[in-house]
């Protein structure tokens, strides 16, 4: 099966007051048709920046693809023109952004915002686009879609606004749907509904999904493969079940231990949660020739401080960038 998306040795740089920082450092991965691939990691590790690069939406003037390729159906988007990227963005590759209240325009109805995408990319008339907007709201399970299509964003709950964002992203039946923290600020019940909806829509449309999250429980439920990001680097990659059963990087191990019951059963009397100490390093630390997780790692050795870990490959394609990976 040919890869739908292939990213090779991607390096993204941001210009800051302190100089140029590699916010994404030598990232490579593939995405297959119909697959759900998850990016996991704390805030500031490069997950959303990777998504913005795929969409051609890096911060203007300060962000750039410094090296590598982003190949969508064989076409290198890293070298595509702005006109070509606008054709692909929202049509072939769509994104559900984190904050629907700030992503939706407060002065237009939700129906107008869905219809705008259809008119721009598919050339539909206003009437036909409006009819399809109603159908899309119904598809994302908003009750009474025929009337709610005329609502403004402030007239909807947080969960309903997020469903509108999903409807906009799915309007043109994209081949790739990027879900960037799609349940931010939603309560647990609504989060579960959104993840169930995304799973159902993937099966119905055949779209591949890139799920960006820090929720290991959601990853275990939705994704086939996962990439663990830390400080702009891919530190672990492979099948979700295999990584959860035996993580090969201390950072992944810490993330999994933060989630109750993900590795155990509900019958044991006590479930101790272990937090990952410390914080993600600042941008000025990115790119150093060492393990950037070293200051937080319980398996620290002298080698970690003087050389960047090499990638170690295990069974079924699982990889980990850690000097101690084989011992974990």
């Amino acid at each position: 099966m040919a890869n739908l998306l292939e990213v090779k040795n991607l390096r993204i740089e941001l210009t800051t007051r302190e100089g140029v920082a590699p916010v994404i450092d030598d990232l490579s991965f593939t995405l297959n048709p119909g697959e759900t691939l998850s990016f996991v990691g704390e805030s500031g590790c490069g997950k959303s920046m990777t998504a913005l690069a795929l969409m051609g939406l890096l911060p203007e003037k300060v962000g750039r693809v410094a090296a590598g390729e982003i190949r969508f159906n064989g076409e290198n988007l890293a070298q595509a023109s702005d006109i070509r990227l606008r054709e692909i963005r929202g049509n072939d590759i769509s994104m559900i952004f984190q904050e629907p209240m700030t992503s939706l325009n407060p002065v237009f109805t939700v129906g107008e915002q869905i219809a705008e995408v259809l008119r721009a990319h598919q050339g539909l008339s206003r009437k036909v686009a409006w009819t399809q907007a109603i159908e899309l709201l119904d598809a994302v399970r908003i009750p009474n879609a025929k009337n709610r299509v005329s609502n403004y964003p402030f007239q909807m709950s947080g969960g309903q606004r997020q469903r509108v964002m999903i409807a906009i992203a799915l309007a043109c039946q994209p081949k790739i749907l990027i879900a960037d923290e799609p349940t931010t600020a939603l309560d647990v019940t609504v989060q579960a509904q959104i993840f169930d909806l995304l799973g159902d829509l993937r099966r119905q449309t055949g779209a591949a999904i890139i799920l960006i999250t820090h929720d290991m429980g959601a990853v275990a439920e939705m994704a086939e493969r996962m990439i663990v990001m830390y400080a702009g680097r891919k530190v672990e990659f492979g099948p979700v079940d295999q990584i959860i059963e035996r993580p090969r990087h201390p950072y992944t191990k810490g993330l999994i231990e933060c989630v109750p019951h993900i590795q155990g059963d509900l019958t044991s009397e006590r479930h101790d949660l272990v937090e990952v100490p410390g914080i993600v390093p600042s941008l000025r630390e990115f790119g150093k020739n060492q393990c950037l997780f070293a200051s937080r790692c319980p398996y620290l050795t002298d080698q970690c401080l003087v050389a960047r870990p090499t990638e170690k490959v295990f069974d079924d394609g699982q990889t980990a960038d850690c000097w101690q990976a084989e011992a974990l």
Side-chain angles (χ1 to χ4, degrees):
M1 180 186 297
N3 295 321
L4 180 61
L5 181 71
E6 185 173 6
V7 174
K8 295 181 180 179
N9 308 116
L10 182 65
R11 181 182 176 92
I12 301 171
E13 295 180 345
L14 283 184
T15 302
T16 70
R17 294 178 180 178
E18 299 177 348
V20 176
V23 291
I24 299 297
D25 192 1
D26 195 27
L27 174 64
S28 297
F29 67 91
T30 60
L31 178 68
N32 300 317
E35 176 186 27
T36 296
L37 172 68
S38 184
F39 278 73
V40 182
E42 296 166 281
S43 297
C45 285
K47 308 183 304 296
S48 294
M49 195 62 66
T50 301
L52 293 176
L54 298 180
M55 295 285 290
L57 291 174
L58 290 174
E60 192 174 354
K61 296 183 180 179
V62 299
R64 71 187 186 101
V65 175
E69 299 179 349
I70 303 171
R71 292 200 171 274
F72 170 66
N73 278 338
E75 180 181 2
N76 188 5
L77 302 186
Q79 297 178 346
S81 66
D82 290 341
I83 294 175
R84 178 58 180 149
L85 287 173
R86 282 195 295 269
E87 292 174 350
I88 293 174
R89 188 187 307 129
N91 195 30
D92 294 313
I93 305 176
S94 288
M95 186 168 176
I96 306 168
F97 294 92
Q98 288 189 33
E99 297 290 347
M101 197 57 192
T102 55
S103 299
L104 292 171
N105 193 321
V107 302
F108 291 100
T109 66
V110 296
E112 289 173 312
Q113 294 182 64
I114 298 171
E116 180 185 14
V117 176
L118 294 165
R119 294 198 304 269
H121 288 290
Q122 297 188 354
L124 301 183
S125 67
R126 287 184 175 275
K127 183 177 180 180
V128 174
W130 187 263
T131 300
Q132 288 199 16
I134 296 172
E135 293 173 355
L136 283 162
L137 288 182
D138 187 60
V140 297
R141 302 172 190 167
I142 290 184
N144 196 17
K146 189 173 183 180
N147 291 327
R148 300 305 300 275
V149 73
S150 298
N151 283 175
Y152 291 88
F154 74 88
Q155 295 175 296
M156 293 185 151
S157 67
Q160 289 172 336
R161 288 194 293 266
Q162 193 60 279
R163 291 169 189 267
V164 172
M165 292 296 298
I166 295 173
I168 291 173
L170 289 172
C172 296
Q173 299 182 344
K175 296 180 177 66
I176 298 175
L177 177 64
I178 302 172
D180 186 5
E181 299 283 7
T183 58
T184 298
L186 301 179
D187 63 57
V188 176
T189 302
V190 178
Q191 287 182 23
Q193 293 172 355
I194 294 297
F195 285 129
D196 287 344
L197 174 61
L198 288 173
D200 290 344
L201 291 173
R202 183 191 71 161
R203 288 186 286 272
Q204 292 168 15
T205 65
I209 295 178
I210 295 177
L211 175 64
I212 297 173
T213 184
H214 58 267
D215 185 343
M216 292 295 293
V219 174
E221 180 182 345
M222 283 197 64
E224 288 87 36
R225 295 187 298 160
M226 63 187 288
I227 294 174
V228 182
M229 296 287 293
Y230 186 77
R233 296 175 179 174
K234 178 181 71 174
V235 297
E236 189 157 7
F237 168 74
V240 170
D241 293 344
Q242 185 170 320
I243 290 178
I244 288 177
E245 181 177 344
R246 187 173 182 183
R248 296 284 190 167
H249 194 283
Y251 181 58
T252 311
K253 183 177 174 66
L255 291 177
I256 292 172
E257 289 175 345
C258 289
V259 183
H261 317 316
I262 195 169
Q263 285 182 315
D265 59 69
L266 299 175
T267 60
S268 58
E269 295 183 359
R270 182 169 177 167
H271 304 283
D272 293 327
L273 299 184
V274 181
E275 67 176 21
V276 181
I279 60 174
V280 178
S282 65
L283 274 178
R284 61 176 175 268
E285 303 293 321
F286 284 31
K288 284 189 173 181
N289 187 33
Q290 67 172 73
C291 175
L292 296 178
F293 187 65
S295 64
R296 309 173 68 184
C297 184
Y299 304 93
L300 176 65
T301 67
D302 291 340
Q303 188 179 25
C304 304
L305 300 174
V306 297
R308 177 173 176 170
T310 56
E311 183 179 77
K312 293 180 174 60
V313 181
F314 300 91
D315 295 339
D316 295 330
Q318 182 178 356
T319 68
D321 291 26
C322 177
W323 294 118
Q324 303 299 315
E326 294 176 350
L328 292 182

